[in-house]
Coordinates of all heavy atoms in Angstrom, one line a residue:
M1 N -5.6 15.6 -52.2 CA -4.9 14.7 -51.5 C -4.3 13.6 -52.6 O -5.0 13.3 -53.5 CB -5.9 13.7 -50.7 CG -5.2 12.6 -50.0 SD -6.4 11.3 -49.3 CE -7.0 10.4 -50.7
I2 N -3.2 13.1 -52.4 CA -2.5 12.2 -53.3 C -2.1 11.0 -52.3 O -1.4 11.1 -51.3 CB -1.1 12.8 -53.9 CG1 -1.4 14.0 -54.7 CG2 -0.5 11.7 -54.7 CD1 -0.2 14.7 -55.2
K3 N -2.6 9.8 -52.8 CA -2.4 8.6 -52.0 C -1.9 7.6 -53.0 O -2.5 7.3 -53.9 CB -3.8 8.3 -51.3 CG -3.6 6.8 -50.6 CD -4.9 6.4 -50.0 CE -5.0 5.2 -49.5 NZ -6.2 4.7 -48.9
V4 N -0.8 6.9 -52.6 CA -0.2 5.8 -53.4 C -0.2 4.5 -52.5 O 0.4 4.6 -51.4 CB 1.2 6.2 -53.9 CG1 1.8 5.0 -54.8 CG2 1.2 7.4 -54.8
E5 N -0.8 3.6 -53.1 CA -0.8 2.3 -52.3 C -0.7 1.1 -53.3 O -1.6 1.1 -54.2 CB -2.1 2.2 -51.3 CG -2.0 1.0 -50.4 CD -3.2 1.1 -49.4 OE1 -3.4 2.2 -48.9 OE2 -3.8 0.1 -49.3
N6 N 0.3 0.2 -53.1 CA 0.4 -0.9 -54.0 C 0.5 -0.6 -55.4 O 0.0 -1.3 -56.3 CB -0.8 -1.9 -53.6 CG -0.9 -2.5 -52.3 OD1 0.1 -2.7 -51.7 ND2 -2.1 -2.6 -51.8
G7 N 1.2 0.5 -55.7 CA 1.4 0.8 -57.1 C 0.3 1.5 -57.7 O 0.4 1.9 -59.0
V8 N -0.8 1.9 -56.9 CA -2.0 2.6 -57.6 C -2.0 4.0 -56.9 O -2.0 4.2 -55.7 CB -3.2 1.8 -57.3 CG1 -4.5 2.6 -57.8 CG2 -3.2 0.4 -57.9
C9 N -2.2 5.1 -57.8 CA -2.3 6.3 -57.3 C -3.7 6.9 -57.3 O -4.4 6.7 -58.3 CB -1.4 7.3 -58.2 SG -1.4 9.0 -57.6
E10 N -4.1 7.5 -56.1 CA -5.5 8.1 -56.0 C -5.2 9.5 -55.8 O -4.7 9.9 -54.8 CB -6.2 7.4 -54.9 CG -7.6 7.9 -54.6 CD -8.3 7.2 -53.5 OE1 -7.8 6.1 -53.0 OE2 -9.2 7.8 -53.1
I11 N -5.9 10.3 -56.6 CA -5.9 11.7 -56.4 C -7.3 12.4 -56.2 O -8.1 12.1 -56.9 CB -5.3 12.5 -57.7 CG1 -3.7 11.8 -57.9 CG2 -5.2 14.0 -57.4 CD1 -3.2 12.4 -59.2
K12 N -7.4 13.1 -55.1 CA -8.7 13.6 -54.7 C -8.4 15.1 -54.5 O -7.6 15.6 -53.8 CB -9.4 13.1 -53.5 CG -9.8 11.6 -53.8 CD -10.4 11.1 -52.5 CE -10.9 9.7 -52.7 NZ -11.7 9.2 -51.4
T13 N -9.2 16.0 -55.2 CA -9.1 17.4 -54.9 C -10.4 18.1 -55.3 O -11.0 17.8 -56.3 CB -7.9 18.1 -55.6 OG1 -7.9 19.5 -55.5 CG2 -8.1 17.9 -57.3
S14 N -10.7 19.2 -54.5 CA -11.9 19.9 -54.8 C -11.5 21.2 -55.5 O -12.4 22.0 -55.8 CB -12.7 20.2 -53.5 OG -12.0 20.8 -52.5
E15 N -10.2 21.4 -55.6 CA -9.7 22.7 -56.1 C -9.2 22.6 -57.6 O -8.6 23.5 -58.1 CB -8.5 23.2 -55.3 CG -9.0 23.7 -53.9 CD -8.6 22.7 -52.8 OE1 -7.6 22.1 -53.0 OE2 -9.1 22.8 -51.7
G16 N -9.5 21.4 -58.3 CA -9.0 21.3 -59.6 C -7.6 21.2 -59.8 O -6.9 20.8 -59.0
V17 N -7.1 21.7 -60.9 CA -5.7 21.6 -61.3 C -4.8 22.3 -60.3 O -3.8 21.9 -59.7 CB -5.4 22.1 -62.6 CG1 -3.9 22.2 -63.1 CG2 -6.2 21.1 -63.7
P18 N -5.2 23.6 -59.9 CA -4.4 24.3 -58.9 C -4.3 23.5 -57.6 O -3.1 23.5 -57.0 CB -5.1 25.6 -58.6 CG -5.8 25.8 -59.7 CD -6.3 24.4 -60.3
G19 N -5.3 22.8 -57.0 CA -5.2 22.1 -55.9 C -4.3 20.7 -56.0 O -3.5 20.5 -55.2
M20 N -4.4 20.2 -57.3 CA -3.7 19.0 -57.5 C -2.1 19.4 -57.6 O -1.3 18.7 -57.1 CB -4.1 18.5 -58.8 CG -3.5 17.1 -59.2 SD -4.1 16.2 -60.6 CE -4.4 17.4 -61.8
M21 N -1.8 20.5 -58.2 CA -0.4 20.9 -58.3 C 0.1 21.4 -57.0 O 1.3 21.2 -56.7 CB -0.3 22.2 -59.2 CG -0.6 21.9 -60.8 SD 0.6 20.7 -61.4 CE -0.3 19.2 -61.4
T22 N -0.7 21.9 -56.2 CA -0.3 22.2 -54.7 C 0.1 20.9 -54.0 O 1.1 20.9 -53.3 CB -1.3 22.9 -54.0 OG1 -1.6 24.3 -54.6 CG2 -1.0 23.2 -52.6
G23 N -0.9 20.0 -54.2 CA -0.4 18.7 -53.5 C 0.7 18.0 -53.9 O 1.5 17.5 -53.1
L24 N 1.0 18.1 -55.2 CA 2.2 17.5 -55.9 C 3.4 18.2 -55.4 O 4.4 17.7 -55.0 CB 2.1 17.5 -57.4 CG 3.2 16.9 -58.1 CD1 3.5 15.4 -57.8 CD2 3.0 17.2 -59.6
S25 N 3.4 19.5 -55.3 CA 4.5 20.5 -54.9 C 4.8 20.1 -53.4 O 6.0 20.0 -53.1 CB 4.2 21.9 -55.0 OG 3.9 22.2 -56.4
I26 N 3.9 20.0 -52.6 CA 4.1 19.7 -51.2 C 4.7 18.3 -51.1 O 5.8 18.1 -50.4 CB 2.8 19.7 -50.3 CG1 2.3 21.2 -50.3 CG2 3.0 19.2 -49.0 CD1 1.0 21.4 -49.8
A27 N 4.3 17.3 -51.8 CA 4.8 15.9 -51.8 C 6.4 16.0 -52.2 O 7.1 15.3 -51.6 CB 3.9 15.1 -52.7
V28 N 6.6 16.7 -53.3 CA 8.0 16.8 -53.8 C 8.9 17.4 -52.8 O 9.9 17.0 -52.5 CB 7.9 17.4 -55.1 CG1 9.5 17.8 -55.5 CG2 7.3 16.7 -56.3
R29 N 8.4 18.6 -52.1 CA 9.2 19.2 -51.1 C 9.5 18.3 -49.9 O 10.6 18.2 -49.4 CB 8.5 20.5 -50.7 CG 8.6 21.6 -51.7 CD 7.9 22.8 -51.3 NE 8.4 23.5 -50.1 CZ 9.5 24.3 -50.2 NH1 10.0 24.6 -51.2 NH2 10.0 24.8 -49.0
S30 N 8.5 17.5 -49.6 CA 8.6 16.5 -48.5 C 9.6 15.5 -48.8 O 10.4 15.1 -48.0 CB 7.2 15.9 -48.2 OG 6.3 16.9 -47.6
V31 N 9.6 15.0 -50.1 CA 10.5 13.9 -50.6 C 11.9 14.5 -50.4 O 12.9 13.8 -50.0 CB 10.1 13.3 -51.9 CG1 11.3 12.5 -52.4 CG2 8.9 12.5 -51.8
K32 N 12.1 15.7 -50.9 CA 13.3 16.4 -51.1 C 14.0 16.5 -49.5 O 15.1 16.2 -49.3 CB 13.4 17.7 -51.8 CG 14.7 18.5 -51.6 CD 14.5 19.8 -52.4 CE 15.6 20.6 -52.1 NZ 15.3 22.1 -52.2
R33 N 13.0 16.9 -48.6 CA 13.5 17.1 -47.2 C 13.9 15.8 -46.6 O 14.9 15.7 -45.9 CB 12.3 17.7 -46.5 CG 12.8 18.0 -44.9 CD 11.6 18.6 -44.1 NE 10.4 18.0 -44.4 CZ 9.7 16.9 -44.0 NH1 10.7 16.1 -43.2 NH2 8.7 16.5 -44.2
I34 N 13.2 14.7 -46.9 CA 13.4 13.3 -46.4 C 14.7 12.9 -46.9 O 15.6 12.3 -46.1 CB 12.2 12.4 -46.6 CG1 11.1 12.8 -45.7 CG2 12.7 11.0 -46.4 CD1 9.9 12.1 -46.2
L35 N 15.1 13.1 -48.1 CA 16.1 12.6 -48.8 C 17.4 13.4 -48.2 O 18.4 12.8 -47.9 CB 16.2 12.8 -50.3 CG 15.4 11.9 -51.1 CD1 15.2 12.4 -52.6 CD2 15.9 10.4 -51.0
M36 N 17.3 14.6 -47.9 CA 18.4 15.4 -47.4 C 18.6 15.1 -46.0 O 19.7 15.0 -45.5 CB 18.1 16.9 -47.7 CG 18.2 17.2 -49.0 SD 17.7 19.0 -49.4 CE 18.9 19.9 -48.6
E37 N 17.5 15.0 -45.2 CA 17.6 14.9 -43.7 C 17.8 13.5 -43.3 O 18.5 13.1 -42.3 CB 16.6 15.7 -43.0 CG 16.4 17.1 -43.1 CD 15.2 17.8 -42.6 OE1 14.5 17.2 -41.9 OE2 15.0 18.9 -42.9
G38 N 17.0 12.6 -43.8 CA 16.8 11.2 -43.3 C 17.9 10.4 -44.0 O 18.2 9.3 -43.5
C39 N 18.3 10.6 -45.3 CA 19.1 9.8 -46.0 C 20.5 10.5 -46.3 O 21.3 10.0 -47.1 CB 18.5 9.4 -47.4 SG 16.9 8.6 -47.1
D40 N 20.8 11.6 -45.8 CA 22.0 12.3 -45.9 C 22.5 12.7 -47.4 O 23.6 12.7 -47.6 CB 23.2 11.5 -45.2 CG 23.0 11.6 -43.7 OD1 22.5 12.5 -43.2 OD2 23.4 10.5 -43.1
H41 N 21.5 12.9 -48.3 CA 21.7 13.3 -49.6 C 22.0 14.8 -49.6 O 21.3 15.6 -48.9 CB 20.4 13.0 -50.5 CG 20.4 11.6 -51.0 ND1 20.3 10.6 -50.1 CD2 20.3 11.1 -52.2 CE1 20.1 9.5 -50.8 NE2 20.2 9.7 -52.0
S42 N 22.8 15.3 -50.5 CA 23.0 16.8 -50.6 C 21.8 17.2 -51.5 O 21.0 16.5 -51.9 CB 24.3 17.0 -51.5 OG 24.1 16.6 -52.8
E43 N 21.6 18.5 -51.5 CA 20.5 19.0 -52.2 C 20.5 18.7 -53.8 O 19.5 18.3 -54.3 CB 20.3 20.6 -52.1 CG 19.2 21.1 -52.7 CD 19.0 22.7 -52.5 OE1 19.7 23.2 -51.8 OE2 17.9 23.2 -53.0
T44 N 21.7 18.7 -54.2 CA 22.0 18.3 -55.6 C 21.5 16.8 -55.9 O 20.9 16.5 -56.8 CB 23.4 18.6 -56.0 OG1 23.7 19.9 -55.9 CG2 23.6 18.2 -57.6
E45 N 22.1 16.0 -54.9 CA 21.7 14.5 -55.0 C 20.2 14.3 -55.0 O 19.6 13.6 -55.7 CB 22.5 13.7 -54.0 CG 23.9 13.7 -54.2 CD 24.5 13.1 -52.9 OE1 24.1 13.3 -51.8 OE2 25.7 12.4 -53.1
A46 N 19.5 15.0 -53.9 CA 18.1 14.8 -53.8 C 17.4 15.3 -55.1 O 16.4 14.7 -55.5 CB 17.7 15.6 -52.5
K47 N 17.7 16.4 -55.6 CA 17.0 16.8 -56.9 C 17.2 15.9 -58.0 O 16.4 15.8 -58.8 CB 17.7 18.3 -57.4 CG 17.2 19.5 -56.3 CD 17.8 20.8 -56.8 CE 17.1 21.9 -56.0 NZ 17.8 23.2 -56.3
K48 N 18.4 15.2 -58.1 CA 18.6 14.2 -59.2 C 17.7 13.2 -59.0 O 17.1 12.6 -60.0 CB 20.1 13.8 -59.2 CG 21.1 14.7 -59.8 CD 22.5 14.2 -59.8 CE 23.4 15.3 -60.3 NZ 24.8 14.8 -60.3
V49 N 17.5 12.6 -57.7 CA 16.6 11.5 -57.4 C 15.2 11.9 -57.9 O 14.5 11.2 -58.5 CB 16.6 11.2 -56.0 CG1 15.6 10.1 -55.6 CG2 18.1 10.6 -55.7
I50 N 14.9 13.1 -57.5 CA 13.4 13.6 -57.8 C 13.3 13.7 -59.3 O 12.3 13.2 -60.0 CB 13.0 14.9 -57.0 CG1 13.0 14.5 -55.6 CG2 11.8 15.5 -57.5 CD1 13.1 15.7 -54.7
D51 N 14.2 14.3 -60.0 CA 14.2 14.4 -61.4 C 14.1 13.1 -62.2 O 13.3 13.0 -63.0 CB 15.4 15.2 -62.0 CG 15.6 16.7 -61.6 OD1 14.4 17.3 -61.3 OD2 16.6 17.2 -61.7
R52 N 14.8 12.1 -61.6 CA 14.7 10.8 -62.3 C 13.3 10.2 -62.1 O 12.7 9.5 -63.0 CB 15.8 9.9 -61.7 CG 15.8 8.5 -62.2 CD 16.3 8.6 -63.6 NE 16.4 7.3 -64.3 CZ 15.9 7.0 -65.4 NH1 15.3 7.8 -66.1 NH2 15.9 5.8 -65.8
A53 N 12.8 10.4 -60.9 CA 11.4 9.9 -60.6 C 10.4 10.6 -61.6 O 9.4 10.0 -62.2 CB 10.9 10.3 -59.2
V54 N 10.6 11.9 -61.7 CA 9.7 12.5 -62.7 C 9.9 12.1 -64.1 O 8.8 11.9 -64.8 CB 10.0 14.1 -62.6 CG1 9.3 14.8 -63.8 CG2 9.6 14.7 -61.3
E55 N 11.1 11.8 -64.6 CA 11.4 11.2 -65.9 C 10.5 9.9 -66.0 O 10.0 9.7 -67.0 CB 12.9 10.9 -66.1 CG 13.7 12.2 -66.4 CD 15.1 11.8 -66.4 OE1 15.5 10.6 -66.8 OE2 16.0 12.7 -66.4
L56 N 10.7 9.1 -65.1 CA 10.0 7.8 -65.0 C 8.6 7.9 -65.0 O 7.8 7.2 -65.7 CB 10.5 6.8 -63.9 CG 11.9 6.3 -64.1 CD1 12.3 5.6 -62.8 CD2 12.1 5.4 -65.3
G57 N 8.1 8.8 -64.3 CA 6.6 9.2 -64.2 C 6.1 9.7 -65.6 O 4.9 9.3 -65.8
L58 N 6.8 10.3 -66.3 CA 6.4 10.8 -67.7 C 6.7 9.9 -68.8 O 6.3 10.1 -69.9 CB 7.1 12.1 -68.0 CG 6.7 13.3 -67.0 CD1 7.5 14.5 -67.3 CD2 5.3 13.6 -67.2
A59 N 7.3 8.8 -68.5 CA 7.7 7.8 -69.5 C 6.6 6.9 -70.0 O 5.6 6.8 -69.2 CB 8.9 6.8 -69.1
T60 N 6.6 6.4 -71.1 CA 5.7 5.5 -71.6 C 5.8 4.1 -71.0 O 6.9 3.8 -70.3 CB 5.8 5.3 -73.1 OG1 7.0 4.6 -73.4 CG2 5.7 6.6 -74.0
D61 N 4.8 3.2 -71.0 CA 4.9 1.8 -70.4 C 6.1 1.2 -71.0 O 6.8 0.5 -70.3 CB 3.6 1.1 -70.6 CG 2.4 1.6 -69.8 OD1 2.7 2.4 -68.8 OD2 1.2 1.3 -70.1
E62 N 6.3 1.4 -72.4 CA 7.5 0.7 -73.0 C 8.8 1.1 -72.5 O 9.7 0.3 -72.2 CB 7.3 0.8 -74.5 CG 8.4 0.3 -75.2 CD 8.4 0.3 -76.7 OE1 7.2 0.3 -77.3 OE2 9.3 0.6 -77.4
E63 N 8.8 2.5 -72.2 CA 10.1 3.0 -71.7 C 10.3 2.5 -70.3 O 11.5 2.1 -69.9 CB 10.1 4.5 -71.8 CG 10.1 5.1 -73.1 CD 9.8 6.5 -73.2 OE1 9.0 7.1 -72.4 OE2 10.4 7.2 -74.1
V64 N 9.3 2.4 -69.5 CA 9.5 2.0 -68.1 C 10.0 0.4 -68.1 O 10.7 0.0 -67.4 CB 8.2 2.2 -67.3 CG1 8.3 1.4 -66.0 CG2 8.0 3.7 -67.1
T65 N 9.3 -0.4 -69.0 CA 9.7 -1.7 -69.1 C 11.1 -1.9 -69.6 O 11.9 -2.7 -69.0 CB 8.8 -2.4 -70.1 OG1 7.4 -2.3 -69.7 CG2 9.0 -3.9 -70.4
Q66 N 11.7 -1.1 -70.6 CA 13.0 -1.1 -70.9 C 13.9 -0.8 -69.9 O 14.9 -1.4 -69.7 CB 13.2 -0.1 -72.1 CG 12.5 -0.6 -73.4 CD 12.7 0.5 -74.5 OE1 13.1 1.6 -74.3 NE2 12.3 -0.1 -75.7
E67 N 13.6 0.3 -69.0 CA 14.4 0.6 -67.9 C 14.4 -0.4 -66.8 O 15.6 -0.8 -66.4 CB 13.7 1.9 -67.3 CG 14.6 2.5 -66.2 CD 15.8 3.2 -66.7 OE1 15.9 3.6 -67.7 OE2 16.8 3.4 -65.9
A68 N 13.4 -1.0 -66.6 CA 13.3 -2.2 -65.7 C 14.2 -3.3 -66.2 O 15.0 -4.1 -65.3 CB 12.0 -2.7 -65.4
M69 N 14.1 -3.7 -67.4 CA 14.9 -4.7 -68.0 C 16.5 -4.4 -67.9 O 17.2 -5.2 -67.5 CB 14.5 -5.0 -69.5 CG 13.2 -5.5 -69.5 SD 12.9 -7.1 -68.7 CE 13.6 -8.3 -69.7
A70 N 16.8 -3.2 -68.2 CA 18.2 -2.8 -68.1 C 18.6 -2.8 -66.5 O 19.8 -3.2 -66.4 CB 18.3 -1.3 -68.5
A71 N 17.9 -2.5 -65.7 CA 18.3 -2.6 -64.2 C 18.4 -4.0 -63.9 O 19.3 -4.4 -63.2 CB 17.2 -1.9 -63.4
M72 N 17.5 -4.9 -64.3 CA 17.6 -6.3 -63.9 C 18.9 -6.9 -64.7 O 19.5 -7.8 -64.0 CB 16.4 -7.1 -64.6 CG 15.2 -6.8 -63.7 SD 13.5 -7.6 -64.4 CE 14.0 -9.3 -64.6
G73 N 19.2 -6.5 -65.8 CA 20.4 -6.9 -66.4 C 21.7 -6.6 -65.7 O 22.6 -7.5 -65.4
K74 N 21.8 -5.4 -65.0 CA 22.9 -4.9 -64.3 C 22.9 -5.8 -63.0 O 24.0 -6.1 -62.6 CB 22.7 -3.5 -63.9 CG 22.9 -2.6 -65.1 CD 22.7 -1.1 -64.7 CE 22.8 -0.2 -65.8 NZ 22.4 1.2 -65.6
V75 N 21.6 -6.0 -62.3 CA 21.8 -6.9 -61.2 C 22.2 -8.3 -61.4 O 23.1 -8.8 -60.8 CB 20.3 -6.9 -60.6 CG1 20.2 -8.1 -59.5 CG2 19.9 -5.5 -60.0
M76 N 21.8 -8.9 -62.6 CA 22.3 -10.2 -63.0 C 23.8 -10.2 -63.2 O 24.5 -11.2 -62.8 CB 21.6 -10.7 -64.2 CG 20.0 -10.8 -64.0 SD 19.5 -12.1 -62.8 CE 20.2 -13.7 -63.6
M77 N 24.3 -9.2 -63.8 CA 25.7 -9.1 -64.0 C 26.5 -9.1 -62.6 O 27.5 -9.7 -62.5 CB 26.1 -7.9 -64.9 CG 25.7 -8.1 -66.3 SD 26.4 -9.5 -67.2 CE 28.1 -9.0 -67.3
L78 N 26.0 -8.3 -61.7 CA 26.6 -8.2 -60.5 C 26.5 -9.5 -59.7 O 27.5 -9.8 -59.0 CB 25.8 -7.1 -59.6 CG 26.3 -5.7 -60.0 CD1 25.5 -4.7 -59.2 CD2 27.7 -5.4 -59.7
L79 N 25.4 -10.4 -59.8 CA 25.3 -11.5 -59.3 C 26.3 -12.6 -59.8 O 26.8 -13.5 -59.1 CB 23.9 -12.1 -59.3 CG 22.8 -11.3 -58.5 CD1 21.5 -11.8 -58.8 CD2 23.1 -11.6 -57.0
K80 N 26.5 -12.5 -61.1 CA 27.4 -13.4 -61.9 C 28.8 -13.1 -61.5 O 29.7 -14.0 -61.4 CB 27.2 -13.3 -63.2 CG 25.9 -14.1 -63.9 CD 26.0 -14.0 -65.4 CE 24.9 -15.0 -65.9 NZ 24.9 -14.9 -67.3
N81 N 29.2 -11.7 -61.5 CA 30.5 -11.3 -61.2 C 30.6 -10.3 -60.2 O 30.7 -9.2 -60.3 CB 31.0 -10.6 -62.5 CG 31.0 -11.5 -63.7 OD1 31.5 -12.6 -63.8 ND2 30.4 -11.0 -64.9
P82 N 30.3 -10.8 -59.0 CA 30.5 -9.8 -57.7 C 31.8 -9.0 -57.7 O 32.9 -9.6 -58.0 CB 30.3 -10.8 -56.5 CG 30.5 -12.1 -57.0 CD 30.4 -12.2 -58.4
P83 N 31.7 -7.7 -57.3 CA 32.9 -7.0 -57.3 C 33.8 -7.6 -56.0 O 33.1 -7.9 -55.0 CB 32.4 -5.5 -56.9 CG 31.0 -5.6 -56.6 CD 30.4 -7.0 -57.0
L84 N 34.9 -7.4 -56.1 CA 35.9 -7.9 -55.1 C 36.3 -6.8 -54.2 O 36.3 -5.8 -54.3 CB 37.1 -8.5 -55.7 CG 36.8 -9.8 -56.5 CD1 38.1 -10.3 -57.2 CD2 36.1 -10.9 -55.7

């Protein structure tokens, strides 16, 4: 079982690594399906979103902080100079 709440991930499995990988695979397939059916993403777009999530999941804390700061900078620029 994989449970995420308030930014904390809890993983419970009695099957070790194979069980954990199965749970992760099922979760990824579910996210892909939701992106495609519920958010009207193409399969390619859904895979890009998932790939990005995996990149961030494998990133160091410093890399995640840098990514967040870059995103905040973009938001600030849009707030200062809204598109017409």
Side-chain angles (χ1 to χ4, degrees):
M1 175 194 77
I2 300 172
K3 177 182 173 184
V4 179
E5 190 172 311
N6 297 323
V8 177
C9 182
E10 179 183 342
I11 301 172
K12 292 182 182 179
T13 181
S14 59
E15 294 107 22
V17 173
M20 187 170 43
M21 292 298 99
T22 298
L24 181 58
S25 297
I26 291 168
V28 169
R29 289 177 63 82
S30 295
V31 168
K32 179 182 163 202
R33 181 180 43 78
I34 290 166
L35 288 170
M36 291 173 65
E37 294 174 6
C39 300
D40 294 326
H41 282 58
S42 68
E43 184 172 3
T44 300
E45 291 168 329
K47 286 180 178 182
K48 284 182 183 178
V49 169
I50 292 166
D51 286 345
R52 185 68 180 129
V54 170
E55 284 178 22
L56 290 172
L58 295 174
T60 64
D61 288 346
E62 183 179 316
E63 290 169 329
V64 171
T65 299
Q66 289 174 351
E67 185 72 25
M69 295 301 285
M72 286 175 53
K74 289 178 185 176
V75 168
M76 294 303 290
M77 290 301 291
L78 284 172
L79 290 173
K80 283 184 171 181
N81 305 307
L84 301 176

